Amino acid sequence: MSATELTLTLSGGSAADARAVVRALEPAFGSARELPADERATIHTATFEHDAAGPSRDGGAGGAAGRLSGAVTVTVQGAPEAVAKARERLNHAFTAQDQGSVSGDQEQEWQLLLEP
């Protein structure tokens, strides 16, 4: 299976909060294409390449995610296995509440509310 994208959309927090969420996923997905940096933005995005056939870079449920300054809404979109892995890591790294999901033929979207 070829690499697929995992896309995060984050709202309700600062660029530092968005970077903390991205860093929580890096042990499993590697580095994002770009780290959120614009402090004036109200919505931050990050994209990872996920290779389901390749070796997992998952170093455990922990990680250097950091703390959030406030609640952050995160929408994770991609292949079902990538979304499930991201959701699991975020649930371990932060206090998270599931806000619902939508599934398509080959993609899934899941929304989580992360709290400090």
Side-chain angles (χ1 to χ4, degrees):
M1 178 180 260
S2 64
T4 59
E5 286 187 355
L6 176 74
T7 303
L8 301 179
T9 305
L10 304 100
S11 62
S14 67
D17 292 330
R19 287 189 297 271
V21 173
V22 168
R23 286 192 178 105
L25 296 175
E26 286 179 340
F29 295 99
S31 298
R33 287 190 189 151
E34 272 185 56
L35 282 175
D38 187 353
E39 289 296 337
R40 298 168 296 169
T42 58
I43 296 176
H44 302 277
T45 61
T47 303
F48 295 89
E49 289 292 324
H50 174 67
D51 187 354
S56 176
R57 293 174 248 178
D58 193 354
R67 296 186 48 86
L68 300 175
S69 65
V72 177
T73 300
V74 179
T75 303
V76 183
Q77 182 180 18
E81 60 275 358
V83 170
K85 183 185 269 188
R87 188 173 144 244
E88 179 182 332
R89 289 202 59 87
L90 293 174
N91 275 315
H92 282 79
F94 303 100
T95 301
Q97 296 179 24
D98 282 339
Q99 300 289 301
S101 68
V102 177
S103 295
D105 284 349
Q106 298 176 22
E107 281 195 346
Q108 187 174 47
E109 181 177 294
W110 206 288
Q111 188 169 30
L112 297 163
L113 177 65
L114 306 181
E115 299 175 316

